[in-house]
Amino acid sequence: MKYVGITIGPIFKTIGEAISPAGLWFGSYFFSTVTKKLCEKLVEIPNVKIFSPFYNSNSNQNPQEDGIGRYHDRILFSVDGNTVTEEKLQKIISAVKKEMAGKFGKFNSGQIENFINNYLRIDFVILNEETINEIIGKSGKAGNNIAIILNDALDALELMAAGKGRTDMNLFAPFFAGQKGNRNIYIKKSKLFTDTKPNSQLVIKHPDRDSDLKAIEDIALSRKKEENSSEEVPDGEVAPTRSEYYAVVNSDGDKVGTLLKALCKDLEISKQSERINIFSRACLDYAGEAAKLVGKYGGMTIYAGGDDLLFIAPVHSIFSLCSELDEMFKKTLKKGLEKVNLPDNGINVSLSFGVAVQYVKYPLYEALERARVQLYKAKESCGKHPNGSEISGGNRLGIELVKHSGKTVQLMVENEKLDVIDDLINYRATTNDQALESVLYNLQDTEIIFKLLFEKTAQNSFDFQEYKIRFLNNFNNPNQLVYHDYLEKIAEFFYDNYLKEYQDMVDMKEKVDGICTKRKMSIGEYYTKELQAILFLVKFWQGGK
């Protein structure tokens, strides 16, 4: 038995050239289609079994029929016998490259085939069963399996291949740029688009002219409603709040590698591929449901494959959407892996999110990079335990807001707190703006008082009543007394969801201590900055101003 891994790229380099949502969609869908075309040709070879991504050639269902990419950038499969050779794979790769060059329509027809042939990186590694057993034996790691081994080999292959396939000119740049006054003209005329069934996430319909690909302004809902247009909210969908800002969200699964190890623990190599295929099917189910949910909230799904998700969305209810996605991921994987009979705590997965919110006129590539950085921060270690071991990150949402003025604010939120912060945003809609302004001003003007208050409360020197009295005493002038109810709401929210958990939860205390040590700040300073960031975001969120 042989095991083969294929890697496809360069994805991030390509979508980095995109200057519009349509360009992002094309770049992502292009590479997803490359993977799909490779799978179509591979399953025609006798004795080939693809176990990642999930691919069923006998099914009438087409996971990509809604125009959303479902296939990630790697293919893992087994082959019994010698039906797959390096020469055979190279012929398949060449055929797919030629077919994908035709997806650009008439754009630069004289150069596009040669460009795609040189630009598109499709590399592979072939390992026999003996080699894999040898790697497992040397590693000594419980649960080491063919998926991990093949992916490690592909990682090394990508590093060695870095720099290969460079071209003098990247034709994706002029393709995405389009023509003056008609940015998406080449995308709309491409076969990749015309052969795709249009969906409401990608296309916006106009009553008096042809439908068009959505722009950032359409997704952000900042365009003024046309007098002769009809904007009815479908049943079950979230009513839009107009904004001059939009959000780019990048999410990724946590502890997926640990889950794969548990799935393959104590299994012979020949049986591991079946377990991994079950996992791949569960991820495909999640991707489909996640894309629908993003659409329900008015967003555009750029990519939904495996445990990865990339989308653009209006800023309204972004915390609720991410919270729902996290729960959906857990439930879908648990349901999909029922037949495996793992222990109750065996599927301990979650999602991490990187969110970038910025003004509609700011470049899209900047939001993509900010979302990527925030995702990295959400997943990175929170410091060290007292015994020196790493405190794992993940199960968090990192967000960066860039205002039109250039002012920025960042916040890291545990997924369990997303709903309560969303409640605070919704509650704020019914209050006087001056209340929030007062809290933010006092937090900055008398920062040292709040630092001391939060530190002593977290360390149990003050009980809740003492903490609340001291908190409210900072807002005792006659003009502030009229909105003390809202101030109490803020004080209670911060105590219940931040200070109390430091007192009661050992793991959270260690996490906060680890972050403070890492950032070289006191506990009081950490909590003061947290509340400042939360309230700044709450102030912004209602109407996106």
Side-chain angles (χ1 to χ4, degrees), residues 12-25:
F12 295 109
K13 178 182 177 181
T14 305
I15 64 175
E17 296 286 351
I19 55 177
S20 69
L24 265 185
W25 167 83

Side-chain angles (χ1 to χ4, degrees), residues 165-200:
R166 290 180 178 175
T167 57
D168 293 334
M169 183 174 68
N170 186 346
L171 291 182
F172 275 102
F175 180 80
F176 290 150
Q179 297 175 359
K180 188 175 182 180
N182 198 351
R183 177 182 289 171
N184 296 324
I185 185 171
Y186 300 132
I187 294 173
K188 288 189 287 187
K189 290 185 176 182
S190 70
K191 284 186 66 64
L192 195 66
F193 178 71
T194 57
D195 291 348
T196 300
K197 182 180 177 182
N199 70 83
S200 59

Side-chain angles (χ1 to χ4, degrees), residues 23-259:
L24 265 185
W25 167 83
F26 186 95
S28 173
Y29 196 66
F30 178 86
F31 282 99
S32 183
T33 304
V34 170
T35 301
K36 182 174 180 287
K37 294 295 180 184
L38 287 168
C39 289
E40 287 174 359
K41 296 184 184 302
L42 288 169
V43 294
E44 293 175 355
I45 304 173
N47 304 324
V48 164
K49 292 182 180 179
I50 298 172
F51 52 88
S52 180
F54 179 81
Y55 184 82
N56 185 0
S57 58
N58 298 319
S59 173
N60 292 324
Q61 293 182 329
N62 177 10
Q64 295 202 142
E65 65 182 356
D66 57 1
I68 297 170
R70 293 286 199 281
Y71 297 102
H72 48 75
D73 58 346
R74 289 188 174 179
I75 302 172
L76 309 180
F77 66 92
S78 64
V79 55
D80 193 2
N82 296 313
T83 55
V84 172
T85 63
E86 290 190 17
E87 183 182 3
K88 182 83 170 178
L89 286 176
Q90 290 291 3
K91 284 182 178 179
I92 289 174
I93 290 168
S94 296
V96 169
K97 284 184 175 182
K98 186 172 183 178
E99 187 174 353
M100 294 309 299
K103 298 295 183 183
F104 289 80
K106 295 181 180 180
F107 172 78
N108 216 326
S109 56
Q111 293 180 289
I112 197 69
E113 186 172 332
N114 184 58
F115 166 73
I116 290 298
N117 188 54
N118 291 319
Y119 180 84
L120 192 56
R121 294 298 309 166
I122 305 177
D123 298 302
F124 58 85
V125 61
I126 303 175
L127 301 176
N128 58 40
E129 199 163 330
E130 292 77 16
T131 301
I132 290 178
N133 275 319
E134 186 179 340
I135 293 171
I136 291 174
K138 286 182 178 179
S139 71
K141 295 178 181 177
N144 208 358
N145 57 71
I146 51 176
I148 293 172
I149 291 168
L150 284 173
N151 277 311
D152 286 347
L154 291 174
D155 287 342
L157 195 62
E158 286 181 0
L159 287 174
M160 288 188 290
K164 292 182 180 179
R166 290 180 178 175
T167 57
D168 293 334
M169 183 174 68
N170 186 346
L171 291 182
F172 275 102
F175 180 80
F176 290 150
Q179 297 175 359
K180 188 175 182 180
N182 198 351
R183 177 182 289 171
N184 296 324
I185 185 171
Y186 300 132
I187 294 173
K188 288 189 287 187
K189 290 185 176 182
S190 70
K191 284 186 66 64
L192 195 66
F193 178 71
T194 57
D195 291 348
T196 300
K197 182 180 177 182
N199 70 83
S200 59
Q201 291 194 37
L202 183 62
V203 175
I204 185 169
K205 294 181 179 180
H206 302 284
D208 56 348
R209 54 190 171 92
D210 293 339
S211 59
D212 202 359
L213 291 164
K214 283 185 178 179
I216 284 292
E217 290 84 357
D218 298 311
I219 299 169
L221 296 171
S222 63
R223 283 186 172 164
K224 292 181 180 179
K225 181 177 176 180
E226 297 178 19
E227 291 181 5
N228 59 347
S229 70
S230 174
E231 290 188 8
E232 295 182 1
V233 180
D235 291 341
E237 294 202 6
V238 179
T241 301
R242 299 198 172 279
S243 173
E244 293 290 338
Y245 291 79
Y246 67 98
V248 171
V249 183
N250 199 349
S251 73
D252 183 55
D254 303 316
K255 300 184 179 178
V256 171
T258 303
L259 174 58

Side-chain angles (χ1 to χ4, degrees), residues 438 442 472-484:
S438 289
N442 280 30
L472 295 175
N473 279 345
N474 290 283
F475 309 94
N476 56 8
N477 73 54
N479 293 329
Q480 294 171 328
L481 295 176
V482 295
Y483 41 80
H484 256 216

